Amino acid sequence: MPDIDIRVTGRAGRITLTRPKALNAMTYDMCMAIDAALRNWREDDAVDLVIMDAEGDKAFCAGGDIADLYATGIKGDFEYGRIFWRDEYRLNALIFEYPKPVVSFLQGFTMGGGVGIGCHGSHRIVGETSKIALPECSIGLIPDVGSTLMLALAPGRLGEYLGTTGHRMGPSDAIFAGFADHYIPIADWAALIEMLEASGNAKIIEKHATTPPESTLEQQQTVIDALFAGESLGDILNTLTRSDDAMANEALTLMGRNSPLSMACTVEALHRLRGPSLTLRKALELEYRYTYRAMEHGDFLEGIRAQIIEKDRNPRWLHADQAVPAVAVSKMLQPLGKNTLTFEETTGMKIGFIGLGNMGNPMAANLAKAGHEVTGFDMADVSVAGLTMAGSGAEAAANADIVITMLPNGKILRAVGDEIIPTMQPGAVWVDCSTVDVDSARAVADQAKEAGILAVDAPVSGGIGGAAAGTLTFMAGGSDTAFAKAAPLFDIMGQKAVHCGDSGAGQAAKICNNMILGVTMIATCEAFALADKLGLDRQKMFDVVSTSSGYSWTMNAYCPAPGVGPESPADNNYQPGFAAELMLKDLRLSQQAAESSDADTPMGQAATALYEQFVESEGGLGMDFSAMLPRFEKRGRG
Ligand code: NAD
């Protein structure tokens, strides 16, 4: 291929980008060629390490080649772009997770797609001319190719600064911000590459590294942290506008050229990603939500038109007044359901799945679809695509590497525990995804541990839709080892897993979350009913609240008013969704936990009483929990 030279020299797999006139911009074919080479060399004993470099002085790689993306997108064909980004992100993950050293030499510009191949390896080398930047917001994208991982991990608020301004980092700044590892003068690179080829030993790199010049970003850190601390783009812009620091002015000039929607989503993405359970795959999966929608619903095509095609540098951005509504950000970053970015997974695990009801059924089917060997059992006569059915819970659990349970309550969970623990192998993992009381979760975990079994309580949120789409959130309690063993399965069944602490911590988190959910749903419904009585149009009410301080998940993502906001059970005659009786179950669990821990929860108590009345005597049984709105609508104060 003319644009890339792939070969094996000595002990090294060599990848050289050979498009210097186009600043080595990455095409889809170049991505695929790198991907294939890396997969071949992974199992090849003749290759000890991989070296990536590029011809020309100006750039290692100035980004992805966007010409084809624009040409297809402008005709309304968004599929080409989606496949390009999907496969590019899979390559980024392959480089990041590569079992052998990957050494990259980053002269001149390394931007956008270049960061995705150059900045995820184990040894990232910069020299005098290196300039690393994420200018995606200037073309209506967000920083992608996994760069949000480094941005989220960069010290303080550097991530927000670098992501929204596209500031170009010199070599020392790139090392400081976590995009590079070693500074080596460019004149020494050729000799070093020869030594790497001959020895296959990446450890020699450290001996050649020298101290880089001082990092400007490090000196500016305190100012940047103060300027970019806001919770949203709006907050950050307010702070910048009010500041008389020279940096604020410079930042405002850079940001003034960028898409407000892109910048708002960048800030939100970094805030969502930051935290202990961050992985590159999570960063890529979240970025893909944006890029998947970028042509159809974002500013990407307009950005390319203005910067690259017509070059008028006068893009007509969405939300050009920069007051980007929170709901617009949520829409770009909401899960993609069946189009969620996936990666190759470890397959072939033996899984026992007990409890194949509304939730368990699609969760087990997703595990089977991902290539695992799943044996299922349910008291009821059910069948699930891809599963072998067992005659009892004990039979499903025997010989399994991992057993998953998805059962109605704590009493049944304890009974199933008595049945399966004696048949499970020591060292196997039991993941209980049911929502149960904290005491039962802790009791079965103790019992499992005594038998040498690793236990995780991992209740979920996301409902039946999330179970089917594989986008659940798991809240997990158990040891680090147990959580690590269960994590690959969480990635298949869901999009997020938070390790909350020891056994019972997952249930505690779930109960607290759902107490907030029950209370806010009631508050949202009663506010709509009040608005009705005041003659306020429901759509106007939504438009105001969803972008004001009263916003919440129940308003913005699951609006209880039919025909208003995103589609929700309210638009389907309040068919669940999440049934009112399940909400009541969770609220009761919260009150049981509050009682046993002596916590004062007056709102939780009131919500429990209201849902009890609704389910038991007001026809709420079998309705979605948002059907509280028609209930309030019918009532007066008395
Ligand atoms: P479900 O009633 O549809 O499924 C439970 C299944 O367990 C049933 O098929 C039942 O036959 C089976 N079962 C009962 N006892 C059994 C036993 N001894 N051995 C084997 N199977 C047995 O309930 P669901 O909606 O799938 O919910 C399961 C759990 O997930 C509950 O704890 C619920 O609170 C929680 N949850 C549900 C949702 C939701 O939206 N449905 C959302 C989050 C969490």
Side-chain angles (χ1 to χ4, degrees), residues 1 36 39 57 59 96 164 175 210 212 243 249 269 326 362 375 380 415 433 484 493 499 537 555 558 580 585 626:
M1 193 198 281
R39 284 176 204 279
D57 302 332
F96 185 83
T164 54
I175 294 174
T210 57
S243 166
N249 248 334
T375 306
C433 295
M493 298 184 287
H499 188 189
D537 178 69
M555 174 61 83
Y558 203 95
K585 169 190 162 183
S626 60

Side-chain angles (χ1 to χ4, degrees), residues 553-590:
W553 185 84
T554 54
M555 174 61 83
N556 291 34
Y558 203 95
C559 182
V564 177
E567 200 167 316
S568 70
D571 300 306
N572 188 22
N573 270 331
Y574 296 100
Q575 291 308 300
F578 185 45
E581 58 270 28
L582 288 179
M583 182 80 249
L584 175 58
K585 169 190 162 183
D586 293 354
L587 284 166
R588 281 177 171 154
L589 289 176
S590 77

Side-chain angles (χ1 to χ4, degrees), residues 150-170:
M150 280 87 95
L151 292 176
L153 293 175
R157 300 292 179 151
L158 281 191
E160 284 85 337
Y161 169 66
L162 295 169
T164 54
T165 61
H167 170 83
R168 292 174 179 173
M169 292 176 272

Side-chain angles (χ1 to χ4, degrees), residues 601-622:
T601 55
M603 302 298 283
Q605 208 171 351
T608 311
L610 275 166
Y611 271 106
E612 208 159 70
Q613 202 177 322
F614 183 51
V615 169
E616 290 173 0
S617 48
E618 294 173 350
L621 186 70

